[in-house]
């Protein structure tokens, strides 16, 4: 059988024979094979732990990005209320990118979940085969002559070796997947660093490289739409002056705390350093 | 004949199914040559489904060596192409 199946079989057989040709004496082969099998099982456990770690890391990033989305939305509203439409647009662009990244992370977490399940299944199968091998080697030792034992050991070890090679393949694919995700995770961290601004005024009017990149990444019409929608919610038909605008009655719940109308019973308005106050 | 679906199970198949198995594998191979991603996914699925439908799973406590080893169900076209060009899916 050429191609697909032939190549796959050849590669596995080569790996298995590499595992086996290290020992020539039957008793040695038995012990060596069994020892290698148990070692491999430990490696599988480590592989599963690595996948779980990678998954947790992605889930933490998801949580951070989720917070960024909420924060950027709030900041966009504040900027718009304060008449800083450019700033609001920047915040919404970043929010847009963060949301796209979130979707990507969701897919990746699901993929790792799948990998974890497959590796766990493989580990169970390998464990069962190794257990069968352990039983079989005692039988072989007790029942067969040296020459016959050699043949049967070789058969059994090859069978378990194939299972090991297969688990090795599953592990390698899992590692490849997490490596790809790490590269992406780097990009997300960059976004996180640029994604929100603790002090919204600190951004100023100038834009940095990241802003330009984000603009290219984000879908402009979506940002325009959201900006318009937000304006509507804030009761702004067009760009408002920098003056404080009283929250429209219907949207009181949506207005960020710093936008509370001027009379402030709690007396905190005086220390408000800017629209971002209370959000950082 | 013993057929392994990598990442899943080993199956015991009647020897006279070898011809059909060969044909299905050939279709998957042709899709890789044509760089037809959808065609490959479909052909691979048909191949693996055929094995699952016509074979009996080899128990975890049975030690058997496979006559044929098939790639995992989620093999991508790129992975399959690598496989053919000799780089291989399996780590050393």
């Amino acid at each position: 059988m050429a191609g697909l199946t032939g190549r796959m079989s050849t590669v596995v057989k080569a790996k298995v024979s590499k595992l086996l040709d290290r020992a020539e004496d039957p008793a040695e082969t038995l012990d060596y094979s069994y020892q290698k099998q148990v070692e491999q099982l430990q490696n599988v456990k480590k592989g599963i732990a690595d996948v779980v770690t990678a998954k947790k890391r992605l889930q933490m990033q998801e949580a951070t990005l989720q917070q960024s989305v909420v924060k950027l939305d709030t900041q966009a509203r504040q900027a718009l209320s304060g008449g800083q439409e450019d700033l609001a647009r920047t915040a919404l662009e970043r929010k847009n990118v963060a949301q796209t990244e979130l979707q990507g992370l969701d897919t990746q977490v699901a993929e790792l979940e799948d990998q974890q399940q497959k590796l766990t299944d493989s580990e169970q199968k390998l464990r069962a085969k190794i257990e069968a091998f352990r039983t079989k080697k005692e039988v072989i030792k007790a029942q067969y002559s040296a020459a016959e034992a050699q043949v049967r050991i070789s058969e059994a070890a090859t069978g378990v070796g194939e299972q090991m090679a297969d688990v090795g393949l599953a592990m390698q694919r899992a590692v490849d997947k997490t490596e790809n995700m790490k590269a992406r995770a780097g990009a997300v961290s960059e976004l996180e660093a640029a994604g929100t601004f603790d002090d919204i005024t600190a951004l100023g009017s100038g834009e940095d490289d990241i802003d330009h990149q984000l603009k290219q990444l984000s879908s402009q019409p979506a940002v325009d739409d959201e900006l318009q929608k937000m304006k509507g919610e804030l009761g702004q038909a067009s760009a408002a002056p920098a003056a404080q605008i009283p929250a429209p009655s219907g949207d009181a719940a949506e207005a960020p705390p710093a936008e509370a109308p001027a009379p402030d019973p709690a007396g905190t308005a005086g220390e408000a350093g800017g629209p971002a106050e209370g959000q950082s | 004949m013993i057929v392994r679906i990598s990442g899943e199970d080993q199956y015991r198949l009647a020897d006279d199914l070898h011809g059909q198995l060969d044909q299905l594998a050939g279709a998957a191979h042709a899709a890789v040559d044509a760089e037809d991603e959808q065609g490959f996914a479909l052909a691979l699925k048909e191949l693996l489904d055929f094995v699952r439908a016509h074979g009996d799973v080899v128990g975890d406590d049975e030690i058997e060596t496979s006559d044929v080893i098939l790639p995992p169900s989620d093999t991508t076209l790129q992975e399959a192409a690598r496989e053919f060009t000799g780089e291989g899916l399996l780590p050393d």
Side-chain angles (χ1 to χ4, degrees), chain A residues 87-252:
Chain A
L87 205 52
R89 180 180 291 278
T90 303
L92 287 180
E93 276 159 358
R94 290 180 175 188
K95 180 186 160 195
N96 194 300
V97 175
Q99 279 172 325
T100 308
E101 288 297 334
L102 262 178
Q103 284 166 8
L105 282 177
D106 273 345
T107 312
Q108 290 182 343
V109 167
E111 245 175 66
L112 285 186
E113 198 86 55
D114 190 45
Q115 292 293 327
Q116 186 188 337
Q117 189 55 52
K118 277 184 184 156
L119 280 181
T120 306
D121 291 348
S122 296
E123 189 215 346
Q124 278 165 8
K125 273 190 221 304
L126 184 59
R127 187 193 300 280
K129 296 269 188 221
I130 292 173
E131 184 53 32
F133 183 84
R134 199 179 62 83
T135 310
K136 198 159 189 165
K137 85 182 165 104
E138 296 314 315
V139 174
I140 291 169
K141 269 185 193 165
Q143 292 186 352
Y144 296 98
S145 69
E148 236 181 338
Q150 180 71 65
V151 174
R152 291 183 184 266
I153 288 163
S154 172
E155 280 171 5
T158 304
V160 180
E162 185 186 307
Q163 190 73 40
M164 279 167 32
D166 198 55
V167 175
L169 164 67
M171 277 182 35
Q172 186 57 47
R173 296 183 92 223
V175 167
D176 287 349
K177 283 212 164 96
T178 51
E179 286 301 320
N180 287 343
M181 288 174 191
K182 268 186 208 157
R184 197 188 164 94
V188 174
S189 305
E190 220 173 291
L191 176 77
E192 278 168 15
T196 57
F197 1 98
D198 287 336
D199 179 2
I200 198 163
T201 55
L203 193 72
S205 56
E207 288 173 349
D208 51 24
D209 276 354
I210 293 168
D211 284 313
H212 288 299
Q213 286 168 26
L214 289 179
K215 264 189 187 168
Q216 284 171 350
L217 278 172
S218 67
S219 150
Q220 211 61 51
V223 170
D224 286 340
D225 286 353
E226 196 166 3
L227 197 61
Q228 285 311 316
K229 191 172 155 240
M230 205 172 261
K231 276 186 188 175
E233 285 169 8
L234 290 168
Q236 299 176 344
S238 58
Q244 284 279 332
I245 296 171
S249 53
D251 288 327

Side-chain angles (χ1 to χ4, degrees), chain B residues 13-51:
Chain B
L13 264 77
D15 285 342
D16 59 10
L17 293 176
H18 203 285
Q20 272 175 278
L21 200 63
D22 233 349
Q23 226 170 7
L24 289 165
H29 197 183
V32 173
D33 283 343
E35 293 182 30
D36 174 2
E37 198 160 349
Q38 268 192 319
F40 173 71
L42 199 71
L44 182 62
K45 189 179 182 307
E46 273 179 28
L47 173 63
L48 302 186
D49 282 347
F50 177 82
V51 173

